[in-house]
Amino acid sequence: IPTEVPRDGMTPTSPAFAQGQTIRRSCTADGADVSPALQWSQAPAGTKSFAVTCRDSDMPHGTFIHWVIYNIPGTASGLPEALPRQEQLPDGSIQGMNDLQEAGYIGPKPPPARTHSYHFELYALDCMLPVESGVTAVRLHELMKGHFLATARLTGTYRR
């Protein structure tokens, strides 16, 4: 998360896990591998869209991106569970590429006997972003630069 982004206010939650707790099996590669539902509140005034990324920063080779989704309407207060794995969603949201080069969410699948942390980062933005095909987390951060209103993080864990 860029350091210049304000963190006041927004509070993401999920019925699939509490802050710092284990992610429900159905939202992992060992279960149904569906995206968790997310809810948030207290978005700043002027929010035109939201974006969410999910990353595992405990991989030996660095960060692994599990989810990229942006242009979530600014009126939204969350995402439902089990979003389809496709770029374009009915509400106008766009799912970018995870690190398996697929659109949509891929659940945790850490090496056995190691607990990994999964950071779901929520961004409130002052605009809708340009629609591009195959947006990665790196590209998303480039597109969002200068448009951050606030950000917040919800972290879950998983161990196999």
Side-chain angles (χ1 to χ4, degrees):
I1 293 177
T3 55
E4 75 277 6
V5 178
R7 298 174 188 270
D8 302 327
M10 282 195 312
T11 308
T13 61
S14 177
F17 61 99
Q19 175 66 31
Q21 299 300 307
T22 301
I23 296 170
R24 187 173 60 216
R25 185 179 176 89
S26 63
C27 297
T28 74
D30 294 326
D33 204 13
V34 297
S35 60
L38 297 174
Q39 290 94 36
W40 53 82
S41 58
Q42 301 178 341
T47 299
K48 299 284 190 283
S49 72
F50 295 96
V52 172
T53 60
C54 175
R55 65 185 171 84
D56 174 356
S57 57
D58 294 324
M59 295 297 287
H61 64 277
T63 298
F64 186 90
I65 302 299
H66 285 262
W67 201 14
V68 174
I69 182 170
Y70 68 100
N71 281 356
I72 301 163
T75 55
S77 59
L79 295 169
E81 185 174 270
L83 287 175
R85 289 188 177 146
Q86 59 194 45
E87 275 191 278
Q88 184 74 45
L89 297 176
D91 68 356
S93 300
I94 307 293
Q95 293 191 101
M97 294 295 124
N98 57 48
D99 277 355
L100 292 183
Q101 303 305 310
E102 299 170 352
Y105 173 84
I106 51 169
K109 188 179 179 180
R114 291 206 49 216
T115 301
H116 281 219
S117 295
Y118 299 87
H119 308 286
F120 290 80
E121 292 158 338
L122 170 66
Y123 306 94
L125 306 171
D126 67 1
C127 68
M128 296 297 277
L129 298 173
V131 174
E132 297 180 7
S133 185
V135 169
T136 62
V138 169
R139 179 64 179 143
L140 178 64
H141 281 277
E142 291 169 1
L143 292 170
M144 292 190 300
K145 191 170 185 162
H147 297 289
F148 296 105
L149 294 175
T151 190
R153 179 183 297 149
L154 176 64
T155 300
T157 62
Y158 190 65
R159 179 184 179 110
R160 301 173 80 209

